[in-house]
């Protein structure tokens, strides 16, 4: 396994850049999860304080001790940690800024789900014998944290994330893979803003150069 990039660390936490396809937590029939691989890499046990989907790439906070895990879990739950996501989508949204408030079904129950978004960029991918594919880049923040919330919300708006074969458009994904080489889900935890030493500090990744 390649080393997991560590963006920042202090006595309490690591901020790491997770690659797409890496599960966060170990379990039966789960190979090379982040919690086990990072522990091997740094030579100590680590503690998860939040999660990313297996196919979502980008920034995560991982605690170094149980006490730090308790502290940072509470900070994330109290919204003192701000997480911003970038999604590259096949489609477009009529309103370029707003919120999606459609409930999501989880375990047979309808759950409230709120996603704030802003369209940052729009373009087209030309095809020789067919209509061009409309693309856009969206910045998102979660008010709630349902499983696959961003993926489901954008798909239901007719603007599925590129590379999302579970909730998105498999046919378009196949074309995008062939034309522009998109092989992975194009959803990134792109920016974290956290309280450090009495002030907010932000950490970002350059998702535009991320291995597709």
């Amino acid at each position: 396994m390649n080393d997991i990039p560590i963006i920042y660390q202090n006595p309490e936490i690591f901020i790491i850049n997770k690659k797409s396809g890496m599960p966060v937590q170990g379990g039966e029939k789960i190979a090379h999860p982040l919690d086990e691989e990072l522990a091997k890499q740094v030579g100590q046990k680590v503690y998860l304080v939040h999660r990313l989907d297996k196919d979502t790439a980008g920034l995560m906070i991982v605690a170094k001790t149980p006490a730090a895990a308790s502290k940072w879990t509470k900070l994330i739950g109290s919204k003192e940690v701000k997480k911003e996501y970038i999604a590259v989508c096949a489609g477009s949204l009529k309103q370029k800024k707003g919120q999606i408030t459609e409930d999501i079904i989880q375990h047979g129950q309808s759950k409230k789900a709120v996603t704030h978004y802003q369209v940052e960029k729009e373009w087209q991918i030309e095809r020789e014998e067919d209509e061009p594919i409309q693309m856009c880049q969206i910045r998102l923040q979660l008010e709630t944290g349902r499983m696959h919330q961003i993926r489901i919300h954008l798909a239901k708006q007719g603007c599925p994330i590129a590379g999302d074969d579970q909730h998105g458009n498999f046919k378009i994904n196949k074309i995008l893979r062939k034309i522009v080489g998109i092989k992975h889900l194009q959803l990134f935890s792109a920016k974290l803003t956290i309280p450090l030493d009495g002030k907010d500090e932000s950490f970002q990744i350059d998702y535009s150069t991320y291995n597709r």
Side-chain angles (χ1 to χ4, degrees):
M1 291 290 293
N2 294 327
D3 281 354
I4 299 164
I6 296 172
I7 307 301
Y8 169 83
Q9 65 173 304
N10 65 19
E12 293 184 339
I13 59 169
F14 297 103
I15 296 179
I16 60 93
N17 184 4
K18 185 183 89 69
K19 69 178 183 179
S20 177
M22 173 177 272
V24 168
Q25 191 168 27
E28 188 177 355
K29 297 182 180 179
I30 296 177
H32 307 297
L34 183 142
D35 58 351
E36 293 179 13
E37 294 301 320
L38 183 60
K40 291 176 190 175
Q41 181 178 319
V42 300
Q44 68 171 83
K45 185 174 174 61
V46 298
Y47 303 85
L48 298 172
V49 297
H50 66 120
R51 287 163 172 74
L52 290 177
D53 291 345
K54 175 183 175 181
D55 295 322
T56 302
L59 298 175
M60 271 188 68
I61 299 169
V62 183
K64 294 184 175 183
T65 66
S70 177
K71 171 184 172 179
W72 283 90
T73 299
K74 289 174 184 175
L75 285 171
I76 291 169
S78 68
K79 311 296 185 184
E80 290 189 62
V81 172
K82 297 178 178 65
K83 297 179 281 184
E84 295 182 29
Y85 298 82
I86 293 290
V88 177
C89 300
S92 63
L93 295 172
K94 291 180 180 178
Q95 301 294 327
K96 305 310 175 187
K97 183 178 181 180
Q99 62 181 24
I100 304 168
T101 57
E102 191 166 350
D103 289 358
I104 288 175
I105 304 298
Q106 286 193 342
H107 308 298
Q109 292 186 316
S110 182
K111 300 284 188 178
K112 177 184 177 182
V114 181
T115 304
H116 301 272
Y117 72 88
Q118 181 169 355
V119 177
E120 294 189 322
K121 188 166 58 173
E122 296 180 300
W123 69 98
Q124 291 184 333
I125 294 176
E126 300 295 333
R127 292 191 280 172
E128 289 183 5
E129 300 177 1
D130 213 329
E131 293 291 319
I133 300 173
Q134 182 67 41
M135 303 290 292
C136 64
Q137 176 180 299
I138 306 172
R139 184 173 292 271
L140 308 109
Q141 289 181 298
L142 295 176
E143 188 171 313
T144 54
R146 308 304 176 196
M147 183 180 291
H148 293 187
Q149 178 174 318
I150 292 174
R151 298 165 67 176
I152 293 169
H153 267 175
L154 289 175
K156 287 189 173 184
Q157 297 298 309
C159 192
I161 300 174
D164 188 352
D165 285 338
Q166 183 174 350
H167 301 289
N169 188 318
F170 184 82
K171 182 179 177 182
I172 292 294
N173 290 340
K174 191 174 179 181
I175 295 167
L176 291 174
R177 185 183 182 105
K178 183 177 180 180
I179 295 176
V180 291
I182 291 177
K183 300 175 184 176
H184 306 294
L185 178 74
Q186 296 299 289
L187 178 61
F188 311 100
S189 172
K191 182 178 179 180
L192 280 175
T193 302
I194 66 174
L196 285 176
D197 301 322
K199 60 181 181 179
D200 286 345
E201 294 283 353
S202 292
F203 302 87
Q204 299 187 63
I205 57 167
D206 184 2
Y207 49 88
S208 66
T209 61
Y210 197 90
N211 180 19
R212 291 175 184 242

